[in-house]
Amino acid sequence: MNLYGLTKEELEQYFVSIGEKKFKATQVFEWLYQKRVTTIEEFSNIKKEVREQLQKDFSLELPKVIKREIDIDVEKYLFELSDNERIEAVLMRHNYGLSVCVSSQVGCNMGCKFCESGRLKKVRNLEAHEMVGQILVIESLIKERISSVVIMGIGEPLDNYENVIRFIKIINDAKGIQIGARHITLSTCGLIPKIKELSELDIQINLAISLHAPNDHLRSEIMPINKAYPLQELMETIKEYIKKTNRRVTMEYILLKGVNDQKKHAKELANLLRGMNVYVNLIPYNETNHIEFQKSDKETIDAFYRELQKEKIQVTVRREFGSSISAACGQLRSKEIK
Ligand code: SAH
């Protein structure tokens, strides 16, 4: 097993199971995530026999960086995992700090038509340690601390629920990487049963929904998942989520030229969302090899934005990062594989 994949509670259980005191889990967390040592050897306040047992039971292997592209405000990382599979993460520099976009699966099965990640079907889920590893490796390379994490890289996080929750608990732990729950965002295409499960969870993370269309007809066309979990059901689920968690939800909406970016779509979207504690994040499409989709022009984006504002819907336009270094979801990986 990989030591970076255990929550503090799981590590406590481990220590109890080998006849040791629980608090050793806290000590190990401090070594791994605060002092950032990379060998068990260095856990100097843990006695030798216990260290040897840990060495027998755990590895501290991290994903390897095989490509790093650096721009002014963005860095893209291509990682290789122990079974030679590849995933990506993106570091973004904002005026309020650094954020990292992590992958949650190798490939993705959701099949969104505009998305590069889905071109390559899901090979497997990522283990929690492989998600924690993306952050640790990036922080060690840039020698800076990351202040927020978005789970918006390759994969559908709610299709890998247990590992993603474990990952969130590890990075959120006060003895761990200490990323505040309010600085963690999980983005999903809308797996209803898992959104319900998430609303029962005791961690106040941000939830973002990839909406991208204001009606079933259009949404099913570009996002096949909508056939299984149609809009009305999704909206009901989100309303319950908001009621239960008291948290505002983000609605992501990629603007695709001539597909979903007209004034009538904005009006329909406003009607769909009216009265809900949500805000719309308009995303300029990052053009990929899917030649059938193009980015809406600036005037269209502005008009869509103004229309939502006029309808009293809270709205922002996402700042664009990294189109110069192919930072759109899954692009680097699929480029390498081709
Ligand atoms: N599967 C999850 C998380 C990964 S995708 C989800 O669907 O939310 C993260 C976000 O990037 C989603 O909103 C997705 O629709 C969007 N996205 C995918 N390809 C994109 C592209 N080429 N340009 C802009 N956004 C894109």
Side-chain angles (χ1 to χ4, degrees):
M1 260 208 287
N2 190 303
L3 197 50
Y4 293 117
L6 267 61
T7 64
K8 201 159 82 257
E9 288 65 37
E10 288 170 334
L11 200 52
E12 283 173 356
Q13 284 162 18
Y14 165 81
F15 277 116
V16 170
S17 80
I18 62 164
E20 292 292 331
K21 290 274 193 309
K22 265 189 184 175
F23 75 86
K24 289 214 161 54
T26 299
Q27 294 178 323
V28 168
F29 258 54
E30 284 168 352
W31 285 114
L32 294 181
Y33 302 117
Q34 285 168 19
K35 305 191 186 92
R36 299 286 166 103
V37 304
T38 52
T39 64
I40 291 169
E41 203 88 85
E42 294 165 271
F43 298 176
S44 58
N45 57 0
I46 292 179
K47 60 179 187 277
K48 194 157 178 280
E49 305 83 83
V50 178
R51 286 203 313 258
E52 280 168 2
Q53 186 65 46
L54 282 168
Q55 276 161 336
K56 266 188 220 134
D57 294 336
F58 297 105
S59 86
L60 280 179
E61 199 187 334
L62 288 165
K64 281 191 205 61
V65 175
I66 56 168
K67 194 167 180 182
R68 179 182 180 192
E69 292 183 359
I70 305 179
D71 212 330
I72 302 171
D73 54 1
V74 59
E75 293 185 16
K76 180 92 182 180
Y77 293 83
L78 184 68
F79 288 104
E80 193 164 84
L81 307 171
S82 54
D83 59 355
N84 300 326
E85 291 296 346
R86 291 169 174 193
I87 50 152
E88 302 171 30
V90 182
L91 167 78
M92 288 161 282
R93 295 181 183 277
H94 312 264
N95 46 20
Y96 56 82
L98 304 184
S99 71
V100 167
C101 174
V102 298
S103 291
S104 58
Q105 296 179 317
V106 179
C108 183
N109 275 345
M110 300 300 124
C112 299
K113 293 286 193 297
F114 48 81
C115 179
E116 196 68 17
S117 302
R119 290 203 157 204
L120 306 160
K121 286 276 160 255
K122 178 173 99 179
V123 178
R124 65 174 177 87
N125 285 328
L126 290 192
E127 303 283 334
H129 71 86
E130 293 168 322
M131 292 180 257
V132 173
Q134 295 170 53
I135 294 174
L136 291 176
V137 170
I138 291 175
E139 284 193 334
S140 80
L141 283 172
I142 63 175
K143 300 188 173 61
E144 287 174 84
R145 285 302 178 94
I146 285 153
S147 59
S148 55
V149 171
V150 296
I151 311 171
M152 286 191 193
I154 298 169
E156 167 48 53
L158 295 187
D159 185 38
N160 182 17
Y161 189 83
E162 273 178 38
N163 289 323
V164 166
I165 298 305
R166 190 172 285 134
F167 161 66
I168 291 171
K169 285 182 177 162
I170 296 167
I171 62 170
N172 177 241
D173 198 290
K175 297 288 178 187
I177 304 178
Q178 292 175 320
I179 310 275
R182 284 178 159 71
H183 297 270
I184 300 171
T185 302
L186 184 153
S187 175
T188 177
C189 63
L191 303 187
I192 289 177
K194 294 296 171 188
I195 296 174
K196 289 186 174 156
E197 221 172 309
L198 199 62
S199 70
E200 307 287 341
L201 202 75
D202 233 5
I203 301 183
Q204 300 272 296
I205 58 165
N206 303 308
L207 177 65
I209 306 286
S210 294
L211 198 61
H212 306 330
N215 61 59
D216 275 323
H217 177 71
L218 192 52
R219 194 164 191 267
S220 295
E221 216 165 88
I222 58 176
M223 300 177 69
I225 191 67
N226 193 67
K227 291 172 195 154
Y229 301 119
L231 265 186
Q232 205 191 332
E233 231 175 285
L234 179 59
M235 300 317 282
E236 284 311 314
T237 307
I238 296 165
K239 283 176 191 162
E240 278 167 40
Y241 178 93
I242 294 170
K243 207 160 125 195
K244 211 168 257 170
T245 62
N246 228 343
R247 307 274 302 149
R248 185 171 70 159
V249 169
T250 306
M251 294 291 178
E252 297 163 281
Y253 195 100
I254 301 179
L255 289 163
L256 301 164
K257 190 175 195 163
V259 176
N260 65 355
D261 64 350
Q262 300 302 300
K263 199 168 166 179
K264 64 171 187 203
H265 299 121
K267 279 200 190 315
E268 210 176 354
L269 183 61
N271 289 334
L272 186 71
L273 302 179
R274 201 172 317 284
M276 291 174 73
N277 185 18
V278 296
Y279 86 94
V280 176
N281 194 207
L282 295 177
I283 308 175
Y285 183 56
N286 214 326
E287 287 184 4
T288 67
N289 296 322
H290 294 74
I291 36 164
E292 66 269 40
F293 293 105
Q294 283 159 357
K295 181 180 177 157
S296 304
D297 43 53
K298 198 177 172 307
E299 295 71 48
T300 311
I301 297 177
D302 287 347
F304 201 95
Y305 175 84
R306 280 197 307 273
E307 189 62 31
L308 287 179
Q309 270 198 326
K310 204 174 90 193
E311 297 278 352
K312 304 268 183 302
I313 300 292
Q314 291 188 60
V315 56
T316 53
V317 179
R318 183 176 294 172
R319 180 178 151 201
E320 287 178 83
F321 281 99
S323 45
S324 63
I325 58 168
S326 60
C329 240
Q331 275 186 314
L332 200 61
R333 173 168 178 263
S334 78
K335 213 160 72 181
E336 286 288 309
I337 284 175
K338 261 176 223 139

